[in-house]
Amino acid sequence: MQIFSKELKDTDVRVRFSFPTHCLEHLDFAGNNSVDLRVKDSCGELRVIRCLKRNGDYEKPVLSKGWLKFVADYGLGVGDKVVLLREDDHSLGSQFRIEALRKIVLLGQKAWGEVPRAT
């Protein structure tokens, strides 16, 4: 099940990644303002990426710790896309899968293709 997909902006690749507030319903903060997401990447590796939410009426969520390493490992830039999916992998211990996509042109048609790990 897809939780979100977003084309990356400058702040997303340099500082932190923000995503829609309605996606919070898929995350268990257990009364805290942060949660460490156990995420499987496209190479099948486990990553831990911290998700923070603001206090108050507007709980805008952001991915922080671990996010910029993911960006660097996949060589992501502005205009690339990230997709977060709910996917339990009990053997790996992950609850989510994260995909990095890049626009490609095939036979004159634009499409999204998976980004291979850069490092």
Side-chain angles (χ1 to χ4, degrees), residues 7-27:
E7 283 190 46
L8 301 178
K9 297 180 172 31
D10 186 56
T11 300
D12 297 324
V13 297
R14 288 187 313 103
V15 184
R16 66 189 167 282
F17 177 87
S18 64
F19 57 96
T21 305
H22 69 83
C23 299
L24 287 171
E25 67 188 60
H26 300 284
L27 307 176

Side-chain angles (χ1 to χ4, degrees), residues 68-85:
L68 292 179
K69 177 158 178 30
F70 176 76
V71 169
D73 287 350
Y74 281 84
L76 298 179
V78 174
D80 289 336
K81 184 186 280 189
V82 169
V83 179
L84 185 71
L85 303 124

Side-chain angles (χ1 to χ4, degrees), residues 10-11 23 26 29-32 47 53-54 59-60 84 113:
D10 186 56
T11 300
C23 299
H26 300 284
F29 284 86
N32 298 312
R47 293 176 176 269
K53 65 178 180 175
R54 295 180 184 158
E59 299 181 314
K60 183 73 172 172
L84 185 71

Side-chain angles (χ1 to χ4, degrees), residues 68-107:
L68 292 179
K69 177 158 178 30
F70 176 76
V71 169
D73 287 350
Y74 281 84
L76 298 179
V78 174
D80 289 336
K81 184 186 280 189
V82 169
V83 179
L84 185 71
L85 303 124
R86 178 70 192 198
E87 181 182 284
D88 290 319
D89 183 330
H90 299 291
S91 63
L92 191 60
S94 64
Q95 302 161 309
F96 302 95
R97 181 166 49 97
I98 192 166
E99 298 175 348
L101 305 172
R102 183 165 288 142
K103 283 183 191 172
I104 56 174
V105 178
L106 294 170
L107 303 171

